[in-house]
Amino acid sequence: MRGLGKWTIEVRPWHDPAGVALRTRQRAELDARYGCDDHEPGTPPSEADIDLFVVAVDPATAEAVGCGALRRLDDTTAEIKRMYVEPHHRGSGVATSLLQALESAAAERGWTTLRLETGTAQPDAERFYRREGYHEIPLFGDYVGSTVSVCYERKLR
């Protein structure tokens, strides 16, 4: 996958060691934010249901600094999963590069809508997605009835 900004965005398998490490750190951060480890409604993403997994790499250091995934929901819609950027790289453009790569990949697959779920203890994520053109929608799928979920959607051009 092409590099966006100063980051290289690489398609990697779900079980890639750098990806596993990034998702583990994301989980620990969310456990701390929510004060528990029971904050994910629905089925966690897995190798079996993720269509694409990408890792952002700093070409200067070869360090994996962020990740994101797409899970197809239907013929035209996919869900963004496991968007995460290492705290010391936040504000550097990594998240935007990851999101643009995911949006491009979705468009290449013919998907016209991207959805996502974030949580009430993640106001930084909510601000980021709104800034990037996503708008809040009613809770969907497994998130319906969740007291900690906030869902967003964007129609791709």
Side-chain angles (χ1 to χ4, degrees):
M1 189 167 264
R2 66 183 160 72
L4 299 168
K6 71 179 200 173
W7 312 104
T8 301
I9 307 299
E10 299 176 357
V11 176
R12 301 239 182 130
W14 181 254
H15 58 272
D16 171 75
V20 171
L22 287 164
R23 293 192 310 270
T24 299
R25 288 192 290 277
Q26 178 190 38
R27 184 73 190 197
E29 180 179 328
L30 293 177
D31 290 354
R33 284 186 186 218
Y34 288 91
C36 67
D37 64 359
D38 183 26
H39 48 74
E40 181 172 16
T43 306
S46 69
E47 187 169 17
D49 69 0
I50 289 297
D51 294 84
L52 176 73
F53 181 65
V54 296
V55 173
V57 177
D58 182 341
T61 64
E63 176 189 9
V65 297
C67 63
L70 291 175
R71 175 163 60 187
R72 185 171 59 90
L73 297 176
D74 61 38
D75 289 343
T76 61
T77 309
E79 182 180 6
I80 296 170
K81 298 299 292 180
R82 294 305 185 259
M83 273 284 291
Y84 175 74
V85 173
E86 293 281 16
H88 61 282
H89 284 283
R90 292 178 187 165
S92 68
V94 176
T96 301
S97 293
L98 282 164
L99 186 60
Q100 288 172 352
L102 293 172
E103 289 172 347
S104 293
E108 289 168 8
R109 289 165 169 75
W111 300 333
T112 57
T113 304
L114 284 180
R115 289 186 176 166
L116 63 96
E117 180 266 351
T118 188
T120 55
Q122 298 164 261
D124 45 344
E126 290 190 71
R127 283 189 304 274
F128 169 73
Y129 289 116
R130 281 193 299 269
R131 186 187 78 217
E132 295 300 320
Y134 287 74
H135 65 276
E136 192 171 341
I137 61 170
L139 300 179
F140 67 93
D142 290 334
Y143 311 116
V144 172
S146 169
T147 60
V148 296
S149 293
V150 183
C151 294
Y152 288 86
E153 179 179 280
R154 181 174 180 193
K155 301 287 184 188
L156 303 176
R157 293 177 234 212

